[in-house]
Amino acid sequence: MNEGQCVALFHSTSLALRGEKLCRAEGIPVKLIPVPRRLSSDCGVCLRFAGAFEERVRALFNERALEFEDIVCL
Amino acid sequence: MIYLDNAATSFPKPARVVDAMTEFAREIGANPGRSGHRLSVEAGRTIYDAREALASLFKIRDPLRVIFTANATVGLNQALLGLLSAGDRVVTSGMEHNSVMRPLRFLEASGIRVATVPCSSQGLLDPDELRRTLSERTAMVVVNHGSNVNGCIQPVRALGAAAREAGALFLVDAAQTAGCVEIDMAEDNIDLLAFTGHKALYGPQGTGGLVLGGRVPVERMRPIVFGGTGSRSEYETQPDFLPDRYESGTPNTVGIAGLLEGVRFILETGVTAIRRREDALADVLTEGLAEVNGLRIFSGSGGSRLPTVSFTGDTLPPDEIGLRLDEEFGVLCRVGLHCSPAAHNTLGSFPDGTVRLSAGLFTTEEEIRAAIDAVRVIVSEGGAR
Ligand SMILES: Cc1ncc(COP(=O)(O)O)c(C=O)c1O
């Protein structure tokens, strides 16, 4: 299991906000942070969460058909 | 002063709507989705919350299918210009506003066929009549849900069922009904719903949108405006995901903050309770005017109707009645054709138009009675003055 932090990257702030709501509703602790510079050339926000939740977050987004760019674990 | 022009825009707004806009402008104010800082995220959250509130009002699951536009007109244009192509056939009713008729007349010039199904003299579109028109292959049916001229409410569920049987998309102009008539997009067979924020949603002017149901072919719906979205800035092509595909340029965030509060107010009050109240006001208005001699009245028939009623006088033209209502009695209404020549044609009040009195949730029975008394005085004096 991943011990570090992960971020979910989205195409837009609205998608990131939807991701935040979906996670919170499932009790997954998440935080919206600016996208780390090395991950994207675009300004914007991404969703940070503990690596332990990676699979759950991925499954949740797929299940709710929330489009995301990538989940990157650091 | 008695404000009876709620069909043009609701007034007054709930105080909390104005407060929410002030607070947004004072405390948040940033550009949503354009930067990563906390105020930008807060602004983005305000807009997201408004999408969610509207999704819950119209009973759809995915808030990202709520597209914000400047008003219902832009939402309707996005749906019509975005989806129809040369060779397509579109069917509409005889009760439409120019925000539908003008884009349709424009499209007609580029090879789109427009068929209009006549409505009854009360403005109602019969689903069987619509069904007969749909024997020919049709891309879209577009219908005004609630009339801004006589307040009649169309049986959208049955109309939508007819559209679906024929394989057509169903676009509903909910400018007059969003917030005061129960709307469940799936149950009501609605594929695209255009709403405006400044009428029965109690938000400010400059807000509105288009809600996309699950059957809308997003990949085929061309945006009518292209530009910056704050997303995918490395590409010079328009994003293909919702809502960014249809939301270029900085939105009216302060207005949407107000709209959010208006929709929250509606969700807390309940559309059913609002409908009950407005039906009662519609009865007071219609029955009161019916008792005035020398008027011809245009109102929705039986059942549920909007508290929007038109009339003409036997002896005075509408503009003169309107002017005297304002100047002598402080009653504010709207006279003329209400951007709806088609509807006035159907009801038989074209080209002179009518005097329209439109109540809202905050109108009292006393105000309506006082306005009707004023009408009585004006028409009984008639041309004698
Ligand atoms: C039936 C109807 N459709 C569309 C509109 C257009 O709304 P807006 O002016 O907010 O775009 C209105 C109101 O003006 C209306 O009454």
Side-chain angles (χ1 to χ4, degrees):
Chain A
M1 190 164 27
N2 190 336
E3 309 274 308
Q5 297 280 328
C6 297
V7 293
L9 300 167
F10 299 89
H11 294 312
S12 74
T13 304
S14 356
L15 289 161
L17 284 161
R18 178 151 167 80
E20 181 193 46
K21 295 251 175 176
L22 292 179
C23 289
R24 294 232 164 114
E26 292 290 312
I28 303 170
V30 291
K31 188 171 163 53
L32 275 175
I33 59 162
V35 181
R37 180 83 198 141
R38 64 202 153 90
L39 292 183
S40 166
S41 59
D42 206 1
C43 52
V45 289
C46 62
L47 211 51
R48 189 180 68 194
F49 51 90
F53 293 108
E54 183 187 348
E55 285 321 307
R56 266 180 76 192
V57 170
R58 205 179 279 279
L60 175 64
F61 291 173
N62 286 331
E63 180 203 326
R64 301 299 296 271
L66 175 68
E67 205 183 320
F68 62 97
E69 250 183 285
D70 206 358
I71 291 180
V72 182
C73 295
L74 314 164
Chain B
M1 195 185 72
I2 298 177
Y3 183 82
L4 288 178
D5 198 17
N6 288 278
T9 200
S10 55
F11 180 78
K13 307 293 179 190
R16 57 192 274 187
V17 168
V18 180
D19 291 346
M21 289 192 284
T22 310
E23 190 183 319
F24 181 89
R26 243 190 244 290
E27 312 289 340
I28 305 177
N31 198 325
R34 297 298 192 271
S35 322
H37 59 72
R38 70 186 82 171
L39 288 181
S40 174
V41 171
E42 269 322 296
R45 206 185 295 281
T46 300
I47 294 194
Y48 185 85
D49 288 347
R51 287 189 216 284
E52 216 170 50
L54 286 156
S56 138
L57 182 65
F58 303 130
K59 307 201 170 54
I60 64 157
R61 198 156 163 219
D62 182 358
L64 301 183
R65 298 185 80 85
V66 176
I67 310 296
F68 284 117
T69 60
N71 47 44
T73 302
V74 176
L76 289 163
N77 272 266
Q78 171 58 67
L80 296 169
L81 303 180
L83 282 164
L84 296 170
S85 306
D88 282 347
R89 178 175 189 256
V90 54
V91 170
T92 192
S93 87
M95 287 297 284
E96 301 306 305
H97 188 272
N98 269 346
S99 52
V100 165
M101 292 320 297
R102 286 182 174 171
L104 288 183
R105 293 302 171 217
F106 169 77
L107 287 168
E108 219 170 14
S110 39
I112 284 143
R113 287 174 302 138
V114 179
T116 305
V117 192
C119 294
S120 73
S121 58
Q122 255 116 45
L124 288 176
L125 178 55
D126 175 3
D128 289 329
E129 188 87 22
L130 174 66
R131 204 168 267 115
R132 277 191 284 281
T133 322
L134 294 178
S135 57
E136 213 179 312
R137 194 182 156 76
T138 303
M140 190 190 284
V141 173
V142 48
V143 168
N144 178 7
H145 190 187
S147 172
N148 53 311
V149 177
N150 78 342
C152 71
I153 300 174
Q154 302 293 352
V156 280
R157 187 169 300 187
L159 298 172
R164 288 209 174 167
E165 282 162 27
L169 287 170
F170 187 41
L171 164 62
V172 170
D173 173 1
Q176 294 290 339
T177 53
C180 66
V181 177
E182 208 65 71
I183 293 175
D184 179 324
M185 282 186 63
E187 290 276 310
D188 291 335
N189 304 310
I190 299 171
D191 294 309
L192 301 111
L193 184 88
F195 64 93
T196 204
H198 64 99
K199 299 183 198 265
L201 292 174
Y202 295 99
Q205 295 168 21
T207 58
L210 181 67
V211 188
L212 308 178
R215 300 194 331 148
V216 177
V218 171
E219 64 295 340
R220 276 209 293 112
M221 187 167 99
R222 299 172 295 273
I224 56 171
V225 177
F226 299 82
T229 55
S231 51
R232 297 234 136 157
S233 298
E234 63 273 37
Y235 297 106
E236 291 185 350
T237 49
Q238 191 73 8
D240 57 4
F241 49 86
L242 296 174
D244 298 36
R245 181 166 159 82
Y246 306 107
E247 287 187 356
S248 291
T250 300
N252 176 9
T253 317
V254 69
I256 292 171
L259 175 61
L260 166 60
E261 207 52 38
V263 176
R264 281 183 175 151
F265 161 75
I266 289 160
L267 291 170
E268 286 163 25
T269 311
V271 177
T272 311
I274 293 174
R275 189 71 256 120
R276 206 178 303 128
R277 169 72 186 150
E278 288 201 357
D279 277 336
L281 290 174
D283 288 348
V284 176
L285 190 50
T286 310
E287 287 157 20
L289 284 170
E291 285 170 10
V292 179
N293 289 327
L295 297 187
R296 182 167 169 220
I297 294 161
F298 306 85
S299 71
S301 55
S304 210
R305 52 190 167 181
L306 305 176
T308 293
V309 179
S310 270
F311 66 88
T312 53
D314 292 345
T315 52
L316 288 175
D319 54 296
E320 192 168 333
I321 298 176
L323 186 65
R324 292 190 57 192
L325 279 171
D326 182 354
E327 288 188 341
E328 297 169 31
F329 298 92
V331 174
L332 311 188
C333 64
R334 180 167 172 196
V335 301
L337 291 173
H338 313 97
C339 301
S340 306
H344 281 280
N345 251 319
T346 292
L347 302 174
S349 45
F350 188 83
D352 294 337
T354 56
V355 182
R356 180 185 73 184
L357 301 182
S358 53
L361 193 54
F362 305 117
T363 308
T364 63
E365 279 90 343
E366 292 67 42
E367 287 179 307
I368 293 179
R369 290 200 189 94
I372 291 168
D373 285 342
V375 171
R376 184 180 287 113
V377 171
I378 293 169
V379 298
S380 67
E381 288 171 9
R385 204 174 69 127

